[in-house]
Amino acid sequence: MTASDDDSHGHGDSAATERSHLTLADGDIHVCQDGPRDAPALLLIHGTASSARSWGPMVPLLTGCHRVIRIDLLGHGRSAKPTDRDYSVPEQARRVGAALDRLGVEHAVVAGHSSGGVVATALAEERPDLVTALALVNTGPGLAALVPAESPTVDPSRWPPTDEQLREFASTGFSRAGYRIPAQLLDDVREMTYHTFAATMLATRSYLEQRALPDRLAVLGKPLLVIFGADDRRWRSSSAADYRVVPGARVELLAGLGHSPLLEDPPRTAAPLLAFTAPHAVRVR
């Protein structure tokens, strides 16, 4: 199923965004596409308790030279939210790969925000033929980089959280002075089930416990860009240096921004991303 995106949710999506639902074995996956279909593919993966909409403000800055693809991971956004499926990171990556196969994408630069960068890493492990390069945006390299939580634990018996709890939960995702959290971000959390929320959080932790991302990436041989808001309140920004063990890795710290630079300052986030993707993008023949 395909349709034009006529939503107005303040995240910068274009009215020309093409939406589709791909029916995979584990449930329908919601996909957004922008830009020329014959341009090099750039896949954008959102983080936990978010959706493809979180990348919306970046899209107009990227479509001049890319076919921009955004996918709602299973359990998130407008994708299915089954209670009897595996939400492990490798399984989420497998679904992303299957979705790209269905879209006819043979090669893509893959960018992931927060835990979306974890899924991007797993996709490169599972499908090295598909992933030409990786960009991680405020993706913690390992659990030691976590900043102790400022928000209270979510009570499953009181799901979904209240607006006040949601704003408290989301507040650590931003550090730019004067930034107002979009209501749609709160909706992304509210629209999840507690099961998919908890399962996704546990899956990311499990994957990082098994092996830190820099160690995984160092053996893959993929070009790597790491972008970090220097004032991240969820992951220590100094931990971005851990990725330098990956041969040729580029690390960019963005002063004055927090965990979500793609929302706090899209142009500053897009600039290093575009500079990075240019030599690694593969045009459709």
Side-chain angles (χ1 to χ4, degrees):
M1 180 179 70
T2 302
S4 175
D5 176 11
D6 57 1
D7 287 346
S8 177
H9 41 58
H11 273 236
D13 279 5
S14 166
T17 297
E18 179 186 297
R19 295 183 174 278
S20 61
H21 277 86
L22 303 178
T23 300
L24 303 183
D26 293 331
D28 287 355
I29 296 296
H30 177 241
V31 178
C32 299
Q33 296 188 76
D34 294 88
R37 296 302 180 263
D38 61 348
L42 172 59
L43 172 68
L44 307 176
I45 304 178
H46 64 80
T48 302
S50 188
S51 76
R53 292 175 290 211
S54 66
W55 285 98
M58 292 276 289
V59 170
L61 305 172
L62 304 173
T63 51
C65 51
H66 291 288
R67 173 188 182 184
V68 178
I69 302 169
R70 293 171 289 157
I71 292 177
D72 285 344
L73 298 174
L74 195 74
H76 296 73
R78 299 184 183 185
S79 289
K81 301 173 179 65
T83 59
D84 60 347
R85 292 295 184 267
D86 184 353
Y87 285 92
S88 68
V89 170
E91 278 301 298
Q92 292 283 39
R94 181 190 61 77
R95 294 179 189 112
V96 172
L100 292 182
D101 290 342
R102 291 281 296 277
L103 295 172
V105 175
E106 297 181 352
H107 304 285
V109 175
V110 181
H113 172 235
S114 191
S115 61
V118 180
V119 175
T121 300
L123 179 61
E125 290 180 319
E126 300 283 325
R127 297 287 303 274
D129 59 315
L130 180 62
V131 179
T132 59
L134 286 162
L136 309 184
V137 182
N138 284 76
T139 298
L143 295 179
L146 267 175
V147 175
E150 298 177 22
S151 303
T153 303
V154 177
D155 183 351
S157 68
R158 297 182 178 180
W159 188 269
T162 65
D163 284 357
E164 181 180 353
Q165 289 172 323
L166 285 171
R167 290 192 178 279
E168 186 174 3
F169 172 77
S171 65
T172 56
F174 307 91
S175 300
R176 197 194 82 191
Y179 184 80
R180 297 184 63 182
I181 301 173
Q184 188 60 53
L185 285 183
L186 308 184
D187 289 341
D188 282 340
V189 184
R190 187 184 290 109
E191 291 166 3
M192 294 186 76
T193 66
Y194 180 77
H195 175 80
T196 57
F197 175 80
T200 302
M201 296 283 282
L202 289 173
T204 299
R205 174 174 287 273
S206 174
Y207 188 83
L208 292 176
E209 284 176 340
Q210 292 168 24
R211 194 178 188 189
L213 296 191
D215 294 337
R216 294 176 181 272
L217 293 164
V219 299
L220 290 179
K222 300 293 182 183
L224 174 66
L225 169 68
V226 175
I227 299 173
F228 239 90
D231 297 333
D232 194 327
R233 296 161 62 192
R234 293 185 177 176
W235 298 95
R236 289 185 295 102
S237 60
S238 60
S239 69
D242 295 356
Y243 288 102
R244 296 191 185 280
V245 302
V246 180
R250 293 175 52 186
V251 177
E252 298 274 352
L253 290 179
L254 304 180
L257 303 181
H259 182 68
S260 305
L262 66 168
L263 286 161
E264 295 173 84
D265 196 331
R268 284 179 63 197
T269 308
L273 180 58
L274 286 170
F276 172 74
T277 61
H280 303 301
V282 177
R283 182 170 291 277
V284 177
R285 296 179 180 177

